[in-house]
Amino acid sequence: MTMTQTQDWDTAEHAVTDGAEQLKAAADHRQIRAWAMEVGVATKNLWPKVKTELRKQLDIDYDQLRADTLAAEAADIEAASQDAPVIELYCAGDDEVSSYAVCAVADDHESWYGEFHSKDVIYRAGDELSAERSAADKAIYLAGKAREKAGLDTVRLIVHTSHHDLTAEDLAGTASRHRVAVSVELSEQNPAIALCRAPGYRTWREIRLDALFTPAAS
């Protein structure tokens, strides 16, 4: 073990020890994550060690706590969205050119595309699935903005993707935050793929949010 690794383990251990009372009182994984960010241990190197120390010292399984919270929230959103308006969006991520695209099923003019930001929290260069996940994450964000604009409690979102490994479970965290009930469908014909290679960019703020809802929901 290198000196840096030893220091990281010591930092994680001491942080959890010092924050034990606050951590034990946390209502969910988000409060734990907020604590980690506040004390500066939510970094790529420290966070896995912090989660290990949580288990060792406090018998807190962060990943299981997160999974249980998201599952409960997803069930609540699913129940609340049975008769909610529907949005369908195509999405694609292109790792080869580090770009993404999201577009409406009914009108691909209503689209959001461009290169991944250098600080994108999901996309990792060289990982095609992470590119697809980041694009789908943006689709959920867009659906959430449409929900807010329409003053709705929930919306249903059908994400059309051409990536066989993308699942609704991959998107659970973002879906829960934006109160979007998500399902994923494979589509061989996907206009978002071509948009990943379109010149320039288009931001989500250029989209007519009310145009994203399917006609059946209007």
Side-chain angles (χ1 to χ4, degrees), residues 129 132-133 161-170 184 186:
L129 180 57
E132 196 74 19
R133 286 182 59 194
T161 177
S162 298
H163 201 296
H164 290 260
D165 293 328
L166 183 70
T167 68
E169 287 72 23
D170 293 329
V184 175
L186 280 172

Side-chain angles (χ1 to χ4, degrees), residues 19-41:
E21 291 305 313
Q22 181 179 348
L23 291 165
K24 287 188 290 186
D28 57 31
H29 70 285
R30 294 189 183 94
Q31 291 186 7
I32 294 175
R33 182 69 179 181
W35 163 85
M37 295 180 69
E38 182 180 345
V39 301
V41 295

Side-chain angles (χ1 to χ4, degrees), residues 8-82:
D8 284 350
W9 276 110
D10 288 344
T11 298
E13 178 184 2
H14 294 151
V16 171
T17 299
D18 293 344
E21 291 305 313
Q22 181 179 348
L23 291 165
K24 287 188 290 186
D28 57 31
H29 70 285
R30 294 189 183 94
Q31 291 186 7
I32 294 175
R33 182 69 179 181
W35 163 85
M37 295 180 69
E38 182 180 345
V39 301
V41 295
T43 66
K44 181 179 179 180
N45 290 333
L46 287 173
W47 181 235
K49 297 174 179 63
V50 168
K51 290 196 292 183
T52 298
E53 290 297 331
L54 286 169
R55 178 183 56 80
K56 286 168 52 181
Q57 295 187 41
L58 307 178
D59 197 26
I60 295 175
D61 185 333
Y62 176 89
D63 290 335
Q64 188 60 56
L65 180 61
R66 179 180 185 275
D68 291 345
T69 300
L70 293 181
E73 291 174 348
D76 172 66
I77 293 170
E78 181 66 28
S81 66
Q82 289 301 309

